[in-house]
Amino acid sequence: MPASALALVADKQKPQAASAAEVVVLKFGSSVLRNADEAPAVASEIYGHVRAGRKVVAVVSALAGQTDKLLAEARSLGLDHENELLPAYVVLGEEKAAALVAIACDRVGLDAVGLSVRELGIVVEGPAQHARPVSLKGEALHEALARHEVVVVPGFGGVRSNGRVALLGRGGSDLTAVVLAAELGLKRVRLVKDVDGLYDRDPASETGRPLRYRRASWDTARQLGGALVQHDAIDLAQSRDVEIEVAALGRAEGTVVGDRGAPPGPVARDRPLKVALAGCGVVGGGLLNRLLPDKRYEVVGVLVRNPAKKRDVAAPAELFTNDVEAWLAQKPDLVLEALSEGEAGHALIRRALEAGCDVVSANKQAVARDPGGLQALADVHGARVAWSASVGGGSPMIETLRAARAAGPVAGFEAVLNGTVNFMLQRLGEGATFADALADARAAGFAEEDPSSDLEGHDAAAKVKLLCFEAFGRSPDDVPRDVLAAESQLGDKPVRQIGACHDRDGDLDASVRLDGELTDALFQSLDGERNALKVYGQDGRVWTCKGRGAGRWATTESVLADVADVVRARRAAAELV
């Protein structure tokens, strides 16, 4: 498509971002979203960007084979190639996939919304099945970005001046992503494919060694891109000065297509990371479910009390053991610690770090015992330790506090930290008995078999200590706690369990309390198991975040985000050797 065909778009003044947060546009094609089972992996990619403080516009293609299926169904009724009614039926594949990805995002605690092709508002003209974009009516997109962390939109379709839907040609979701990036004033768009960049030949070729481009010129992309990137998308990106980044799921590196090119080079193929898992309960079972089918990881052992116990995740029986020595003898690269007991978890983390293993923990009781000591031990043994999942579930509280502290001294924080307790508080406020509220929390997967740590405030207190370490570099010796029990007097107003700590002239004033006099809109807005954090800087600035604070999938996603950070750090270290 020549640049002149998009003059209307190019001449328009670029709108301002809908939020002060950085916005990224990611496109996911059918090569990475082949079926519904792969939606969680797409949600993981999106989650990593949100955790880093970005808002995401996710452009989604139809699931593999769906476009051809819908075309065949429409044509079986006699609709020919240029029938103006056919595109509206075909884009149902993209709209269905977008709704599926939005659901997958919501499951892990992201604040996501989906738009339809008509709501998205890309205005097109030309043939019904290969139209060209001419403008964007972006009111719905900007409103969605202002209100949500993630906006999932269907690719491939636009709306003509007569209100009919038209298609953007094969591979048109690439073009959708470029249009949105250009109209949002971005300098780059990321296309997530099933390969990690543009190569000088087919990466699966058996002749010669394929070389990957770190940077490729527009012309090189047109010559070698083939079906990897739609040529119309390349033309528009060049005319609007938007670089195209081609990358794979879970990979930071890829190929940047733009004005400058560079010679291709060899790519080292990573072997699967050997992972040992400790615990197979709510979180551990979720991790095992996600790791087993992922070719990037090799699960070498699962440490449990009873290896013979029936699990709710299908896994080879030989993976399970209660022998710590045999478990560590597998020499894992990475240990994922998801035990429910603090002392045992702390000891296990130390053993793994001393063995030179990287460690990711979701066990707040274990990490809160001595976060500074664990970090020092990791440094001594050349290992890495991460614990974001131990606070806030799917809400990126650790990252938010680190961002606040990097900007200046922290005065204090307040937070809803325990999803189980706050889920129960909502049910109690709705008139449920204490026993029924607890039973509902267990049924929803929020409460463990023994909920005493949650109900007595120990869980929230441990999280307060960890947040204190992140905010002030130290933790208080004691955190006074309110206990939630059947006899608790909660009153008629909504109640939240609030964990807080403020620096009072060098003294840390920390507490976990049941607050029935809430005035903060952020905390008042929380439903069920959702958590939220508000950080106060000494200069008056405020940082906030919220998300699902309990449940298998939200916490699992946070662990996997830590795993992705560890993997990136390992690769960076390897490149320096």
Side-chain angles (χ1 to χ4, degrees):
M1 184 186 302
S4 59
L6 288 151
L8 279 175
V9 176
D11 289 343
K12 288 168 61 69
Q13 183 178 0
K14 295 178 181 178
Q16 296 297 311
S19 167
E22 178 187 358
V23 177
V24 296
V25 174
L26 310 177
K27 180 263 178 176
F28 300 94
S30 58
S31 64
V32 296
L33 191 59
R34 290 167 291 187
N35 53 60
D37 292 341
E38 294 180 330
V42 171
S44 287
E45 189 82 6
I46 294 169
Y47 181 90
H49 287 273
V50 173
R51 191 168 94 148
R54 307 180 188 106
K55 292 199 172 192
V56 175
V57 177
V59 179
V60 178
S61 297
L63 302 181
Q66 284 297 300
T67 298
D68 289 335
K69 179 176 181 291
L70 292 167
L71 279 168
E73 289 173 351
R75 288 170 179 163
S76 71
L77 298 176
L79 296 184
D80 62 25
H81 187 73
E82 289 300 322
N83 190 292
E84 289 195 350
L85 298 177
L86 184 144
Y89 186 66
V90 173
V91 296
L92 293 177
E94 276 70 22
E95 292 184 340
K96 177 182 176 181
L100 183 70
V101 170
I103 291 169
C105 289
D106 179 77
R107 183 177 80 153
V108 301
L110 293 171
D111 179 14
V113 66
L115 301 180
S116 68
V117 167
R118 294 182 186 279
E119 289 171 327
L120 180 58
I122 295 178
V123 180
V124 300
E125 61 183 28
Q129 291 199 45
H130 201 146
R132 63 182 185 274
V134 294
S135 63
L136 173 69
K137 294 181 178 178
E139 294 85 357
L141 176 61
H142 284 281
E143 182 180 351
L145 274 173
R147 297 179 60 184
H148 303 278
E149 296 171 331
V150 180
V151 183
V152 188
V153 304
F156 193 36
V159 182
R160 304 168 81 174
S161 59
N162 62 4
R164 297 272 176 92
V165 172
L167 305 178
L168 299 178
R170 283 291 185 172
S173 293
D174 290 348
L175 183 55
T176 302
V178 172
V179 168
L180 297 182
E183 287 298 294
L184 288 169
L186 308 182
K187 301 303 293 181
R188 182 174 293 184
V189 60
R190 185 177 179 89
L191 309 183
V192 183
K193 307 282 187 175
D194 61 345
V195 293
D196 58 349
L198 179 64
Y199 283 77
D200 66 342
R201 69 195 75 185
D202 185 346
S205 172
E206 297 180 359
T207 60
R209 184 180 185 184
L211 304 177
R212 188 181 69 196
Y213 287 87
R214 184 179 59 83
R215 294 196 65 93
S217 68
W218 303 112
D219 287 340
T220 298
R222 291 186 185 96
Q223 293 166 10
L224 298 176
L228 189 63
V229 183
Q230 190 202 46
H231 282 205
D232 289 352
I234 295 173
D235 293 341
L236 176 57
Q238 183 176 11
S239 71
R240 294 297 301 271
D241 194 25
V242 176
E243 292 184 326
I244 295 175
E245 186 176 32
V246 180
L249 278 173
R251 301 298 295 262
E253 67 278 5
T255 299
V256 175
V257 179
D259 291 335
R260 296 186 297 108
V267 178
R269 292 300 171 196
D270 297 329
R271 63 171 177 81
L273 202 67
K274 295 174 66 176
V275 178
L277 178 62
C280 196
V282 171
V283 177
L287 287 167
L288 193 58
N289 180 283
R290 291 291 305 277
L291 292 171
L292 284 174
D294 195 324
K295 295 180 180 180
R296 295 173 296 175
Y297 308 106
E298 177 190 359
V299 180
V300 297
V302 182
L303 186 66
V304 292
R305 285 195 183 95
N306 179 8
K309 180 180 177 180
K310 187 177 180 180
R311 311 285 169 184
D312 65 352
V313 56
E318 60 270 19
L319 284 179
F320 296 92
T321 181
N322 56 9
D323 186 336
V324 176
E325 301 302 328
W327 181 74
L328 284 173
Q330 298 296 320
K331 298 188 181 301
D333 302 302
L334 176 63
V335 166
L336 304 185
E337 190 271 315
L339 299 177
S340 58
E341 202 279 323
E343 184 175 352
H346 184 80
L348 194 65
I349 294 171
R350 292 188 63 88
R351 286 283 305 275
L353 292 174
E354 288 167 352
C357 303
D358 294 331
V359 176
V360 173
S361 176
N363 186 343
K364 79 288 296 182
Q365 298 288 357
V367 178
R369 287 170 178 263
D370 184 19
L374 292 178
Q375 185 61 66
L377 186 63
D379 293 342
V380 167
H381 292 279
R384 302 161 189 85
V385 60
W387 52 66
S388 290
S390 63
V391 182
S395 179
M397 293 190 177
I398 296 292
E399 288 71 28
T400 300
L401 248 172
R402 288 174 180 170
R405 191 176 183 188
V410 171
F413 62 84
E414 297 172 348
V416 169
L417 292 169
N418 186 282
T420 304
V421 168
N422 284 285
F423 175 88
M424 289 183 61
L425 286 170
Q426 180 171 334
R427 292 288 291 117
L428 291 169
E430 294 167 348
T433 66
F434 184 87
D436 283 345
L438 179 56
D440 291 344
R442 284 190 173 121
F446 302 144
E448 299 285 352
E449 292 181 15
D450 179 3
S452 58
S453 178
D454 295 324
L455 301 182
E456 295 172 9
H458 295 292
D459 175 270
K463 293 173 181 177
V464 167
K465 286 186 175 184
L466 266 175
L467 292 176
C468 285
F469 177 77
E470 298 292 346
F472 309 113
R474 56 196 174 96
S475 300
D477 295 329
D478 183 50
V479 179
R481 299 169 284 108
D482 287 347
V483 175
L484 177 62
E487 59 272 16
S488 296
Q489 301 297 314
L490 300 178
D492 298 328
K493 296 181 180 179
V495 179
R496 297 286 185 271
Q497 185 195 62
I498 303 293
C501 186
H502 295 272
D503 185 344
R504 312 290 191 194
D505 296 324
D507 293 328
L508 298 184
D509 179 11
S511 64
V512 173
R513 67 187 188 279
L514 298 176
D515 190 340
E517 300 296 331
L518 285 172
T519 58
D520 191 290
L522 175 63
F523 300 140
Q524 287 179 332
S525 70
L526 299 178
D527 292 326
E529 78 282 11
R530 292 187 181 273
N531 283 191
L533 168 71
K534 179 169 283 189
V535 183
Y536 303 94
Q538 289 187 8
D539 60 2
R541 285 185 288 176
V542 177
W543 288 258
T544 64
C545 68
K546 63 180 180 179
R548 294 194 192 277
R552 166 169 286 183
W553 302 118
T555 310
T556 293
E557 204 56 58
S558 187
V559 173
L560 292 175
D562 270 347
V563 170
D565 288 345
V566 168
V567 170
R568 282 190 286 269
R570 291 175 67 94
R571 288 188 184 132
E575 291 175 359
L576 295 176
V577 176

